Amino acid sequence: MPKNENLEFVSFDDYLAEQMTDPEFARAYARTQEQKQLLATLRNHRTQLHLTQQDIADKTGIKAQNISRLERGLSRPSLETITRYAQALGGSIVFQSQH
């Protein structure tokens, strides 16, 4: 295989900036970031309430291993699952317009 002498290192930030010029990519990235933020908020509230993943599992009927996967971003939870998790924390999911 011929060696390409023109290869250069591209940082993730530079790569991301380039990809963000694509409107479809930018929208998908924004959705992913919002989802990650929501899951982090749920996890943070759980820990502030001194609840374990097993506590949430017991309150929601969702397996503890699935709570773990949800919190780590390894699954795409349904709205039903997120709602049950929020309710187990004494909260709810609310739409907030940015306009």
Side-chain angles (χ1 to χ4, degrees):
M1 176 181 279
K3 188 174 182 180
N4 185 343
E5 299 292 331
N6 295 325
L7 293 178
E8 67 179 74
F9 176 78
V10 176
S11 73
F12 177 76
D13 290 339
D14 290 343
Y15 175 78
L16 181 59
E18 180 181 325
Q19 294 301 307
M20 292 295 279
T21 62
D22 175 356
E24 187 175 330
F25 178 90
R27 283 189 298 275
Y29 184 81
R31 280 191 308 272
T32 299
Q33 294 305 107
E34 288 173 1
Q35 292 166 1
K36 286 173 65 174
Q37 181 59 47
L38 173 59
L39 296 174
T41 299
L42 292 172
R43 183 185 63 245
N44 290 339
H45 276 63
R46 176 182 63 76
T47 59
Q48 288 173 2
L49 293 171
H50 305 288
L51 296 172
T52 66
Q53 291 176 346
Q54 185 61 55
D55 293 331
I56 298 301
D58 293 342
K59 290 178 179 230
T60 62
I62 300 167
K63 292 180 180 178
Q65 66 193 30
N66 291 336
I67 298 295
S68 173
R69 290 179 52 77
L70 182 152
E71 288 185 354
R72 292 182 291 142
L74 300 178
S75 67
R76 298 194 120 215
S78 67
L79 182 57
E80 170 69 19
T81 298
I82 293 172
T83 300
R84 287 167 53 197
Y85 190 124
Q87 289 172 340
L89 297 173
S92 63
I93 303 299
V94 177
F95 169 78
Q96 180 179 359
S97 177
Q98 296 183 15
H99 299 287

